[in-house]
Amino acid sequence: MKQKTVLVSGGAGYIGSHTAVELINAGLNVVVADNLSNSDMSGVEGVRKITGVDVPFINVDCCDKEAFRKVFEQYEFDSVIHFAAFKAVGESVADPMKYYRNNLLSFMNIIDLMREFDRHNIVFSSSATVYGEADELPVTEQTPRKPATSSYGNTKQMCEDILRDSVAAYGGLKGIALRYFNPIGAHPSALIGELPRGVPQNLVPFITQTAAGVRECLSVFGDDYDTPDGSCLRDYIDIVDLAKAHVVAIKRMIDDKNKERYEIFNVGTGRAVSVLELVNTFERVNELKLNYKVAPRRPGDVVAIWADTAHANEELGWKAERSLDDTLRSAWAWEKNVRGIK
């Protein structure tokens, strides 16, 4: 059988680059498309070094439909994993139009081009933010979606709806939305990891940059929430575990094992960890002290969210395997490698 090829939009980024590695490890070909708006070529070069495969890379903006069409014309692929999106919750609250314009248009262009070129399978990079402030925890795939607390979360809800309606309307299309929780850590090789441009919007890069002396002080946003230690509760999943979930989702569609043509899966660990617990664990496993302070609550933050992963465990045969300790060690190893710290 001819080796299958997957287009990975946003494949130079944090989650995309790790997923590209795992797709290749699973025997699939990969084509990466990215406009490098929040990444650079180090992600692609890291994938090439880890796998030994000269992965094709196209610098293209998914929002530019005519430019993106050329990718569909040039490469034979039946499946797409769509990561290309802006993702900072706080920024999306401050500049909602930036998020609606980019995140919705890029996704609609992909659906249109998949129909035009008769490409069939798409995995959408969704998010636990679609649940908003859930009434019951942990959340299952049947948990009602609440109004999103940020424009970023709203774009994820809207793209899920676009995918659901498109699959229902267009006979050749199959889709899986992976609602993932808080990806952290880096590849064990320390050749790829999370390297945001400018000031990090996510917790762990800010932790590692503070440890490296790049940032003076880490802010913990709120210690007065109704949680055991007053800080927000999240479900932190290792990036490699998360990447592997995309591989099994793609293979599910390629092998035509879907129960429905549109499916949703939570991708998390099923364990709630507080922000302060994460900070303390990072200090312990890496044997260092962080300069941090408690700051006011941040707009758009949900108090607590973590996953019930039973559906993904049973249907996909996937589960998170790496420990929080190992994940936080990998995050620091990556940061040290980037900064040249011994």
Side-chain angles (χ1 to χ4, degrees), residues 58-209:
I58 306 98
N59 189 330
V60 64
D61 186 346
C62 299
C63 291
D64 184 341
K65 191 172 184 180
E66 292 313 306
F68 200 31
R69 175 178 278 109
K70 293 175 183 175
V71 179
F72 281 74
E73 291 172 344
Q74 184 176 356
Y75 294 95
E76 286 292 332
F77 53 84
D78 193 52
S79 303
V80 178
I81 303 179
H82 181 59
F83 294 110
F86 295 145
K87 62 177 185 176
V89 169
E91 182 188 51
S92 80
V93 174
D95 191 0
M97 283 307 296
K98 176 180 179 179
Y99 276 67
Y100 289 124
R101 186 175 295 110
N102 182 79
N103 293 7
L104 299 181
L105 182 57
S106 63
F107 188 57
M108 289 188 289
N109 283 346
I110 281 185
I111 297 293
D112 278 346
L113 289 167
M114 288 183 70
R115 291 181 59 216
E116 182 180 335
F117 287 88
D118 198 27
R119 312 293 169 85
H120 301 110
N121 308 316
I122 181 164
V123 172
F124 172 62
S125 163
S126 192
S127 165
T129 56
V130 302
Y131 294 114
E133 293 278 6
D135 292 330
E136 294 185 9
L137 293 167
V139 292
T140 72
E141 290 81 357
Q142 283 71 49
T143 297
R145 296 186 325 187
K146 290 293 194 69
T149 58
S150 68
S151 299
Y152 164 75
N154 204 22
T155 66
K156 292 299 184 182
Q157 289 185 346
M158 294 167 79
C159 284
E160 282 192 1
D161 294 344
I162 290 167
L163 181 57
R164 178 201 64 211
D165 293 349
S166 297
V167 166
Y170 310 129
L173 199 62
K174 290 188 289 185
I176 290 178
L178 296 183
R179 291 175 176 168
Y180 34 81
F181 286 68
N182 290 70
I184 61 170
H187 193 267
S189 67
L191 290 171
I192 52 175
E194 189 169 9
L195 187 63
R197 289 190 171 175
V199 179
Q201 299 288 328
N202 294 333
L203 177 60
V204 170
F206 213 114
I207 287 175
T208 58
Q209 289 189 18

Side-chain angles (χ1 to χ4, degrees), residues 1 5 18 29 37 57 64 67 130 139 150 174 220 222 230 245 249 335:
M1 186 178 72
T5 299
H18 286 82
N29 290 324
S37 63
F57 170 77
D64 184 341
V130 302
V139 292
S150 68
K174 290 188 289 185
V220 174
E335 188 72 39

Side-chain angles (χ1 to χ4, degrees), residues 21 24-25 41-55 187 189-192 337:
V21 167
I24 293 165
N25 288 346
M41 283 301 294
S42 64
V44 179
E45 294 302 332
V47 173
R48 291 168 175 167
K49 286 177 185 175
I50 292 166
T51 63
V53 174
D54 189 15
V55 176
H187 193 267
S189 67
L191 290 171
I192 52 175
N337 187 41

Side-chain angles (χ1 to χ4, degrees), residues 280-318:
N280 294 334
T281 303
F282 181 88
E283 290 181 322
R284 174 177 58 78
V285 301
N286 293 305
E287 299 179 343
L288 49 76
K289 288 306 250 183
L290 285 168
N291 183 28
Y292 71 89
K293 66 180 180 181
V294 174
R297 296 183 180 192
R298 184 172 58 175
D301 275 344
V302 170
V303 177
I305 186 87
W306 69 95
D308 182 324
T309 63
H311 185 49
N313 300 157
E314 293 163 11
E315 280 294 319
L316 296 178
W318 169 92

